Amino acid sequence: MKKTVRKAIIAGNWKMNKTRPEAKALLEEIKPLVANAGEVEVVACVPFTNLETAIAATEGTNIKIGAENVHFEKSGAYTGEISADMLTELGVEYVVIGHSERRQYFGETDETVNKRTKAALAAGLKPIVCVGELLWERECNITEEVISRQIKLDLYDVSAEDVKKTVIAYEPVWAIGTGKTATADQAEEVCALIRSTLAKLYDEATAQAVTIQYGGSMNAANCAELLSKENVDGGLIGGASLKANDFNTIVHAAVNG
Ligand code: PGA
C-alpha cells in the first residue's frame, strides 16, 4: 500500500566529497543507470560548490539535486552561510537539514533545525529532516522519547500542508558511516513510531502521506530488506551513494520494494 500513498525517495548524501569534475563524472555514470527508476524519486544532495555543476549535468533527467544544509535567515551578516533563496534560484529542489554530523560537529540543535526547515519550506525547497538516537540513548531504552521529541521540536509550527512536502530521515547515529546497520525490524519500528507521532501531531491521512527514509550504512546488500518494510519509504545514503553501481542497486531495490 505504501507506494500508492506516498513517494519512494532515494537520496544520496555526498557529504564533503567530490570536486566539480568528479561530481560531473559520478552523475554521468549514475544517469543512465537510474533512468528507468519509474515512480522512485532519485536525489543527489551535493556540496554547495557542486550544485551548479550537478544541476547542469542532470538537466532533463529524472535526478533531482539537493543541498546539504541551508541557513534560516533570508540574507544578512552570516558569513559562510547560504540562504534558501540562493538555493532555489539555482534550481535546487531538496535540502538535508539537521544531519547528525551537523548536530554533532556544528552545534545544530532542534531549534535551529526547526528554523531551517521552516525557511526551506517557505522558499519552496523540500527539506529532508534527519532524526536519530545516539547509541547511548538506545542502550538506555529511550529511543522512543528521543525520536518523538526531535519530531515535535523539528516540526514545531510546520503546517500539515507543509509537512507533506517534508521528508523525514531516520538515521540512528550509531549506524552512520560505521558499517553497522539497524536491522530491518529496528528501522521499521522507529519509522512506524515517527509516523504515529506525525498522526498525533497532525492526523492519520497527513502521517500516511509523509515519506520516511532510513539512513545509516544502507548499502547494495542490505537495501532490499530495509526497503521492503511498510514504513521505510526510501533511503538517505552516504558512502554507497558515491559508487554509481551501489547507488543504482539501492534505487532499483526501491523500485521493487
Ligand atoms: P552512511 O551515511 O550511508 O555512510 O552511513 C548516511 C548518512 O549520513 O546520511
Side-chain angles (χ1 to χ4, degrees):
M1 116 159 196
K2 65 181 186 183
K3 272 193 193 152
T4 60
V5 289
R6 51 188 176 260
K7 202 178 263 189
I9 304 176
I10 300 295
N13 172 18
W14 288 13
K15 311 194 181 188
M16 196 174 72
N17 291 294
K18 305 290 174 192
T19 61
R20 284 186 303 164
E22 288 167 352
K24 185 166 167 25
L26 178 56
L27 287 166
E28 292 300 342
E29 233 188 303
I30 293 172
K31 264 180 353 190
L33 297 175
V34 302
N36 62 350
E39 297 290 292
V40 174
E41 182 102 317
V42 182
V43 184
C45 298
V46 306
F48 290 130
T49 49
N50 290 341
L51 287 171
E52 204 167 359
T53 303
I55 286 162
T58 54
E59 211 189 317
T61 74
N62 61 334
I63 303 174
K64 307 277 164 49
I65 298 302
E68 298 177 15
N69 190 22
V70 63
H71 193 61
F72 40 83
E73 295 295 344
K74 277 193 94 60
S75 63
Y78 301 99
T79 303
E81 293 296 324
I82 302 287
S83 75
D85 289 343
M86 292 172 184
L87 296 177
T88 51
E89 189 272 330
L90 279 179
V92 172
E93 291 186 46
Y94 284 84
V95 60
V96 178
I97 296 178
H99 190 278
S100 71
E101 285 148 18
R102 297 219 57 88
R103 293 180 189 253
Q104 213 173 335
Y105 307 134
F106 302 101
E108 191 82 68
T109 63
D110 288 311
E111 189 182 358
T112 55
V113 170
N114 177 245
K115 286 164 102 172
R116 288 177 211 273
T117 302
K118 286 192 281 197
L121 286 162
L125 291 166
K126 294 177 194 134
I128 300 175
V129 177
C130 303
V131 297
E133 80 287 1
L134 306 170
L135 182 57
W136 166 240
E137 291 166 334
R138 176 164 282 269
E139 285 170 353
C140 290
N141 232 346
I142 60 162
T143 301
E144 197 174 324
E145 282 109 298
V146 171
I147 301 295
S148 59
R149 180 190 154 92
Q150 286 176 334
I151 293 290
K152 285 176 197 161
L153 296 176
D154 296 354
L155 299 178
Y156 174 72
D157 209 18
V158 172
S159 69
E161 197 189 319
D162 272 349
V163 89
K164 290 183 194 160
K165 299 174 198 151
T166 304
V167 178
I168 311 284
Y170 166 54
E171 298 208 309
V173 180
W174 48 271
I176 296 177
T178 57
K180 271 195 209 166
T181 321
T183 64
D185 286 340
Q186 285 172 325
E188 168 63 15
E189 191 183 5
V190 181
C191 290
L193 162 74
I194 291 170
R195 202 173 308 286
S196 68
T197 306
L198 292 172
K200 278 183 214 143
L201 291 174
Y202 299 93
D203 54 65
E204 188 57 36
T206 303
Q208 287 297 333
V210 176
T211 295
I212 302 176
Q213 299 174 316
Y214 169 79
S217 300
M218 192 190 272
N219 58 38
N222 61 27
C223 58
E225 197 188 350
L226 287 160
L227 292 167
S228 72
K229 293 291 177 182
E230 178 68 27
N231 287 288
V232 181
D233 308 316
L236 183 58
I237 325 296
S241 72
L242 299 171
K243 296 178 207 133
N245 285 322
D246 289 7
F247 187 63
N248 176 47
T249 300
I250 299 171
V251 168
H252 280 88
V255 172
N256 302 323

